[in-house]
Amino acid sequence: MVFGNQSETTGDETRDDRNAGLPGGSGGFGRRSFLTAAAATAAAPLVTGSGQAAQASGGRRRIEIDSTGSKAVNYEFTATGAVEPVRGDADGNDSITENGDGTRTATGSVGSWGRDTYTFEGRITGFSPTKGDFELRVDGTRVDPSAVAKKKTLKSLPAASGVLGGGKGYPDAVPKSAATTVVSDIAGLETALNGASSGDVVYVDPSATIQAGKRELTVPSGVTLASNRGVGGAKGGEIHAGEVHGEGPIHTEHQVRITGVRITAPNDEYTEYSRPVHSGVVVGGNGCEIDNVEISGFTYSGVKLLHSARVHHSHIHSNPMDGLGYGIVCIGGGSTLIEYNRFNYNRHSVANQGTAGYEVRYNHFGDKAVAYQVGTHRPGATTLNIHHNTFVPTKHINSGEDPESHVSIRGVPDDIADIHHNWFHNPKKPAPGRGTESIIQPHSNQFRNVNFDTNHYGAKKPSDPTIGCPR
């Protein structure tokens, strides 16, 4: 199937749509079917107060039902304002009903290890079930399902724009009081991780800088590695890999959480490719979460994903080595979620080795870049969802060109690369081939399995507040 530009916004001149009229294809969007309809209308809410698309504002939030088990989760929630499924993140078995009192009720079912996401206005007045194998999140932050309908619950959460990248104000930080073990040197960290079991919290002392040397440490299944980044404005305890050795200092097994720590290396300036190389965190197990961390200075990647994972509310920057230099690189898995992060000065902030899948949403890409910020290598990966991000850097250090591309889809995805509601500071509309447009597909003379619509091009602020990361 072939898709092209369908409905774009811009403050600049328009370009002839070289893919106008191309068919959507009968195969649809893999596990989604929305591309059989016009993409311009797909983003409209099912129900809004006035019957027209509601505009995002400081009052619009996102609610996510995230299955953590093998059975489907049937859910229902009611909101006082407009409710809208996030495109590509609701499986078509959901419905939204307007009630007689002006509220809206959403019902649906999320399959095993899946997720459904909606935006809503106002507040939640009811949610069920209150227990089960799922997590409930609002703007990416875990919320107790039994408490989400209480007025004070949502009021206590900061605006999503205030905690992009985590740090100060991040509401899901792990306090030191939750620690099973507190460590302040490499021997203590190694001993604690070797002896930890599922449910334990190994805590890096907030004042510590732990020198990893040539050690490669593994966080066992079910264990949390934490520190206090953001608590009272704290930077968080640090694990520093001063020597380039092996795969890198931190590896994970299954169901691991890494949160509130700084993981650093000294290679934080642009340099030509050379070996050896290393990564900050190598995710070697399923169901892992990396949140509220700061990662910088690695030659291969800040985060190397051998399996799908959730990476959110983190600051991943200054991993700029030419040839590699990834903020996050997806090697395995089909459902990695990357959201609410700040990226800056990586060669590629999010890349795919060519066979995995990912969703990249609600992120901010800062003003310094070595090359394109998000993309995939050949053969082209599986399903790629890239939406509601803000891409600032237009100049590439490795080429010196300005403007240069933000997104590069090398190869042809098995399913689709769906790119929508992004704010691209590069004013040049997408084009296939190896050019300098905002979105490119270098190895094709026409867009293949790439859809883009409802994006904004140019540095001028979009008039539509639903476009770009939370602001």
Side-chain angles (χ1 to χ4, degrees), residues 96-447:
I96 301 174
T97 304
E98 186 168 3
N99 304 315
D101 60 357
T103 62
R104 286 88 174 167
T105 297
T107 59
S109 179
V110 59
S112 62
W113 307 104
R115 60 178 176 266
D116 280 0
T117 309
Y118 301 79
T119 62
F120 68 95
E121 292 182 343
R123 68 180 188 88
I124 302 296
T125 59
F127 184 91
S128 64
T130 58
K131 295 181 180 180
D133 291 335
F134 71 97
E135 288 184 341
L136 186 67
R137 296 174 184 255
V138 173
D139 292 340
T141 300
R142 271 177 287 262
V143 175
D144 182 353
S146 66
V148 70
K150 298 178 180 179
K151 289 183 178 181
K152 65 179 182 180
T153 300
L154 295 188
K155 286 183 177 180
S156 69
L157 295 178
S161 59
V163 289
L164 282 177
K168 185 177 181 181
Y170 180 65
D172 202 16
V174 175
K176 191 174 182 179
S177 60
T180 304
T181 307
V182 179
V183 299
S184 58
D185 57 34
I186 188 60
L189 177 59
E190 186 172 35
T191 299
L193 291 176
N194 288 342
S197 57
S198 183
D200 286 351
V201 177
V202 176
Y203 208 86
V204 177
D205 188 274
S207 64
T209 295
I210 295 177
Q211 300 292 342
K214 292 184 177 181
R215 285 177 171 83
E216 294 186 85
L217 306 175
T218 297
V219 185
S221 294
V223 171
T224 295
L225 175 63
S227 193
N228 73 331
R229 181 173 183 252
V231 177
K235 292 182 177 180
E238 181 180 10
I239 299 170
H240 184 71
E243 299 182 55
V244 180
H245 177 78
E247 286 276 356
I250 303 296
H251 298 244
T252 79
E253 293 184 346
H254 305 289
Q255 305 294 323
V256 163
R257 182 183 180 194
I258 299 177
T259 181
V261 296
R262 288 180 293 146
I263 302 172
T264 64
N267 308 287
D268 57 359
E269 292 295 337
Y270 178 73
T271 183
E272 297 294 329
Y273 171 81
S274 65
R275 284 190 176 273
V277 296
H278 62 163
S279 300
V281 178
V282 179
V283 174
N286 295 315
C288 293
E289 177 178 9
I290 299 171
D291 67 298
N292 192 32
V293 300
E294 182 180 357
I295 300 179
S296 64
F298 289 91
T299 49
Y300 189 161
S301 184
V303 180
K304 182 179 181 181
L305 300 177
L306 305 180
H307 298 268
S308 295
R310 179 190 292 261
V311 185
H312 64 100
H313 290 98
S314 293
H315 187 198
I316 301 175
H317 65 96
S318 305
N319 304 285
M321 190 183 78
D322 200 21
L324 293 171
Y326 304 111
I328 300 172
V329 61
C330 304
I331 295 175
S335 58
T336 285
L337 179 60
I338 299 167
E339 62 177 357
Y340 300 105
N341 300 289
R342 287 191 179 275
F343 295 97
N344 201 24
Y345 197 24
N346 305 298
R347 176 170 171 262
H348 303 312
S349 286
V350 180
N352 188 307
Q353 198 176 50
T355 57
Y358 60 60
E359 182 170 7
V360 178
R361 64 186 190 182
Y362 313 126
N363 302 285
H364 186 275
F365 297 86
D367 62 358
K368 197 171 184 180
V370 178
Y372 66 80
Q373 292 88 69
V374 176
T376 185
H377 293 81
R378 287 187 286 184
T382 54
T383 301
L384 308 175
N385 291 316
I386 304 166
H387 62 95
H388 293 93
N389 303 287
T390 297
F391 294 85
V392 175
T394 60
K395 182 177 181 178
H396 289 183
I397 291 173
N398 66 354
S399 71
E401 295 288 334
D402 190 2
E404 261 276 19
S405 302
H406 296 299
V407 175
S408 177
I409 307 300
R410 298 163 69 182
V412 179
D414 292 341
D415 182 21
I416 192 73
D418 191 37
I419 306 166
H420 62 92
H421 287 87
N422 299 287
W423 177 4
F424 296 116
H425 279 225
N426 183 341
K428 298 171 72 173
K429 294 290 194 69
R434 189 182 295 275
T436 60
E437 293 82 7
S438 53
I439 302 169
I440 59 174
Q441 193 171 20
H443 304 290
S444 180
N445 60 8
Q446 66 174 354
F447 280 115

Side-chain angles (χ1 to χ4, degrees), residues 449-467:
N449 292 6
V450 175
N451 177 74
F452 50 91
D453 68 87
T454 326
N455 298 298
H456 178 87
Y457 304 93
K460 184 178 179 180
K461 183 178 178 180
S463 58
D464 182 349
T466 67
I467 293 176

